Amino acid sequence: MFEIIRAGIQTTVQDLGRIGLRHLGIAQAGALDQPALMLANRLVNNPAGAAGLEIAMGPVEICFHRSGWLALTGADFEATLDGQPIWPGWRLPYQCGQRLLLKGPRSGMRAYLAVDGGIDVPQVLGARATDLRARFGGFVGRALQAGDRLPQGPAIAHLDRCGAWARPWSPVVRALPGPEYAAFRAEAQQRFWQTSWLVSPQSDRMGYRLSGPALLLTEHREMLSHAVLPGVVQVPPNGQPIVLLADAQTTGGFPRIASVIEADLWKIAQARPGQRLHFVETTLETALQALKQQQYERNRFEWSAYGR
Amino acid sequence: MVDTRFYLLGERAAVLESPAPANLVCQRRIWWLAAQLRRQSIFIDVVPGMNNLTVTFDPQTQSGDDILADLQGQWLTAEAAAPAPHIIELPVCYGGEDGPDLPEVARHTGLSQKAVIEQHSQAAYTVFFLGFRPGFAYMGGLPPALATPRRNEPRLMVRAGSIGIGGAQTGIYPANCPGGWQLIGRTHTPLFDLERDPPSLLLPGDQVRFIQVCHV
């Protein structure tokens, strides 16, 4: 078990989300930067989809009530363990009573903390992810508060110290043209790829709102509601695109100009309000190749960390 | 049927989309196909929309092109799902605190509040699909005379069970949440319950009737 001493603004328990329930209106939820959570978990010998903490703003302070191993990935939050600086992307042991402090992001937006055994909150509809809007899952369906005590799975016997390379973040995000791409005016299509989009402060786990030149349709279109997924870029009537993320509702009715490829979705999650994002058109083939490459890097890490 | 589009959405989704307007004939075939696809293990999500159907799959093991071809083939032979497998009756208190926008709907439609209630509770509704929130059903069948635009200012908090009109649709808020529909009544029947399997009371294809149980 560990205890939250300071909770930050939006620290939530997340895993890889709820799968296969969209037809009931149930959002996916789960970590926005999934590769980061999977890596943190594998560093401490958890299954890749175990529950960890997603930390969106510091300072967050945690007190451990048993000894074990931890790993921090994603944004570099200037973390210390009992005052000693620790490196992101490494696993390290902690002792009962030690305090982990995450000040705030030096770069990036969200940090992921995995502890050995995972966070053992009950599964709700097949996942431990917090659905903040529906208020279920995670730790009683809400963001963490000071004083919360989170149960941990069984401790592991022994590990060696080990680290993983950090992925370089860049504002360049690959995307595929969406189903309504052709319904946008030619200049809107060009602007979509040419603009450096400003990440609005209204961005959250549901979606990243971008501001820039308005993207207009050739003619008004009344669209029938359809399923939407994380990565879909929809354009409401004000012409300012929204990249949908894990907490997005399951259906929507706005035209979809593009879809961010899965291998680059984590870049959106690590972009801060006030930063800029740039979309680059790509092909399905490249998107699938990039996904395969991510999988390959995970496998290679497993070989180096565990020899299997 | 000939105008139906089939396309990929991102790496892991394929969509079947029939042209507007939404209609029950097309929707019944979508439900039928959804039920077939749900039995096939390669599909992760099978999500009906309005006149459309989206499936998700694992792009590491399935080819999107194969999935599209498969959908196209199955759509050609799709049958209409049998109507009304479930008829769900929901007791409703109309007006007052439970339906604060009943006067506004009456004003907009030119009907008396009593006539709004009568028309709303006499119609039979069909759940087209679920979205927006866990268990939120988009229903067809609202008498056209009751259509009322959404509120200019959405409410920050709508109570669970509130029944609203949004344009030509009616729906029920399964949980407390913000919302912009015109609220005309409220039911105490739980619509989304984590202890139930499936947790949503209403499912696509279900028929819903509202039974008035209190007076304004």
Side-chain angles (χ1 to χ4, degrees):
Chain A
M1 186 188 72
F2 63 90
E3 185 179 346
I4 305 295
I5 309 295
R6 279 193 271 178
I9 294 290
Q10 198 186 77
T11 301
T12 52
V13 175
Q14 298 294 352
D15 59 10
L16 301 181
R18 296 191 171 77
I19 304 301
L21 299 171
R22 300 181 161 276
H23 63 289
L24 301 176
I26 296 168
Q28 180 181 314
L32 292 194
D33 184 346
Q34 296 211 352
L37 176 69
M38 288 194 256
L39 177 63
N41 272 324
R42 292 309 291 144
L43 277 163
V44 295
N45 210 21
N46 290 342
L53 290 189
E54 179 179 279
I55 298 159
M57 202 176 286
V60 170
E61 194 174 2
I62 285 162
C63 181
F64 293 102
H65 288 216
R66 73 155 163 80
S67 304
W69 289 77
L70 69 86
L72 283 166
T73 57
D76 177 357
F77 262 59
E78 271 192 86
T80 52
L81 187 62
D82 272 359
Q84 293 296 310
I86 56 176
W87 287 356
W90 284 76
R91 68 182 172 215
L92 72 156
Y94 58 80
Q95 307 303 321
C96 184
Q98 277 194 309
R99 287 188 176 211
L100 174 71
L101 175 67
L102 293 94
K103 258 167 89 176
R106 253 194 290 238
S107 62
M109 178 72 196
R110 283 161 234 274
Y112 291 85
L113 168 69
V115 291
D116 59 316
I119 298 174
D120 195 20
V121 292
Q123 288 208 355
V124 176
L125 300 173
R128 293 185 170 86
T130 312
D131 187 329
L132 287 172
R133 285 207 314 150
R135 300 191 192 99
F136 58 66
F139 188 82
V140 299
R142 60 163 169 79
L144 298 181
Q145 297 168 359
D148 289 344
R149 288 164 169 243
L150 284 99
Q152 245 174 288
I156 33 170
H158 179 75
L159 289 172
D160 298 318
R161 278 179 193 255
C162 166
W165 292 110
R167 313 146 299 178
W169 184 86
S170 90
V172 179
V173 174
R174 290 168 288 183
L176 302 163
E180 282 76 49
Y181 183 76
F184 285 87
R185 296 182 189 174
E187 74 258 22
Q189 295 176 355
Q190 282 172 13
R191 279 172 180 172
F192 180 71
W193 306 113
Q194 287 166 359
T195 302
S196 266
W197 294 97
L198 188 69
V199 176
S200 139
Q202 275 86 51
S203 299
D204 57 19
R205 288 186 40 92
M206 284 180 70
Y208 261 48
R209 290 167 185 267
L210 307 178
S211 43
L215 304 175
L216 301 177
L217 299 163
T218 50
E219 59 188 64
H220 174 75
R221 266 171 87 109
E222 208 43 63
M223 298 208 30
L224 297 173
S225 291
H226 46 247
V228 290
L229 303 159
V232 166
V233 186
Q234 61 177 25
V235 182
N238 68 6
Q240 304 290 291
I242 301 172
V243 186
L244 298 179
L245 297 179
D247 279 5
Q249 58 191 71
T250 54
T251 58
F254 294 132
R256 300 154 291 182
I257 194 169
S259 182
V260 171
I261 72 166
E262 244 176 79
D264 286 358
L265 253 186
W266 71 273
K267 292 184 182 177
I268 307 266
Q270 294 296 359
R272 296 191 204 187
Q275 278 185 326
R276 289 180 182 274
L277 291 171
H278 196 107
F279 296 108
V280 174
E281 186 171 356
T282 191
T283 62
L284 182 59
E285 202 184 354
T286 310
L288 294 173
Q289 194 57 43
L291 211 52
K292 208 180 254 178
Q293 180 69 23
Q294 263 186 2
Q295 181 68 46
Y296 167 75
E297 278 160 20
R298 262 200 296 279
N299 293 345
R300 196 175 54 174
F301 165 75
E302 302 234 335
W303 274 93
S304 63
Y306 302 103
R308 58 184 146 93
Chain B
M1 272 214 3
V2 275
D3 296 335
T4 304
R5 280 174 77 200
F6 296 85
Y7 55 80
L8 296 176
L9 174 64
E11 298 100 313
R12 58 174 67 239
V15 186
L16 170 170
E17 180 188 302
S18 273
N23 64 83
L24 207 48
V25 175
C26 176
Q27 204 65 23
R28 285 214 174 103
R29 296 183 69 218
I30 283 172
W31 299 327
W32 186 90
L33 183 57
Q36 305 303 309
L37 299 174
R38 217 160 266 138
R39 291 191 199 117
Q40 294 165 249
S41 57
I42 54 171
F43 299 108
I44 299 166
D45 286 291
V46 179
V47 193
M50 205 76 151
N51 261 24
N52 56 59
L53 180 69
T54 302
V55 295
T56 68
F57 54 90
D58 178 359
Q60 315 250 43
T61 58
Q62 305 295 326
S63 130
D65 286 339
D66 289 353
I67 301 263
L68 284 182
D70 185 30
L71 273 185
Q72 216 155 349
Q74 297 203 52
W75 180 242
L76 282 174
T77 57
E79 295 167 24
H86 289 111
I87 296 170
I88 294 154
E89 297 193 332
L90 296 174
V92 180
C93 288
Y94 283 100
E97 266 184 27
D98 289 323
D101 298 324
L102 181 61
E104 172 57 23
V105 173
R107 195 196 59 77
H108 178 84
T109 57
L111 298 167
S112 67
Q113 295 189 23
K114 192 162 169 272
V116 170
I117 295 169
E118 269 172 23
Q119 288 212 29
H120 191 264
S121 58
Q122 275 164 17
Y125 300 90
T126 306
V127 176
F128 271 59
F129 69 99
L130 304 184
F132 173 57
R133 292 270 169 175
F136 189 96
Y138 286 81
M139 292 185 279
L142 184 74
L146 296 185
T148 308
R150 285 154 219 235
R151 289 167 55 85
N152 287 333
E153 287 274 330
R155 283 191 173 82
L156 292 174
M157 223 285 279
V158 171
R159 286 189 297 169
S162 294
I163 292 155
I165 290 176
Q169 304 180 96
T170 192
I172 315 159
Y173 289 87
N176 295 340
C177 68
W181 289 22
Q182 308 278 2
L183 308 181
I184 58 168
R186 190 162 171 242
T187 181
H188 290 283
T189 306
L191 292 151
F192 188 83
D193 180 357
L194 288 166
E195 304 300 316
R196 194 165 49 199
D197 185 22
S200 177
L201 175 68
L202 305 180
L203 295 172
D206 286 349
Q207 296 275 311
V208 174
R209 300 198 69 106
F210 296 111
I211 311 294
Q212 184 185 2
V213 290
C214 339
H215 292 282
V216 182

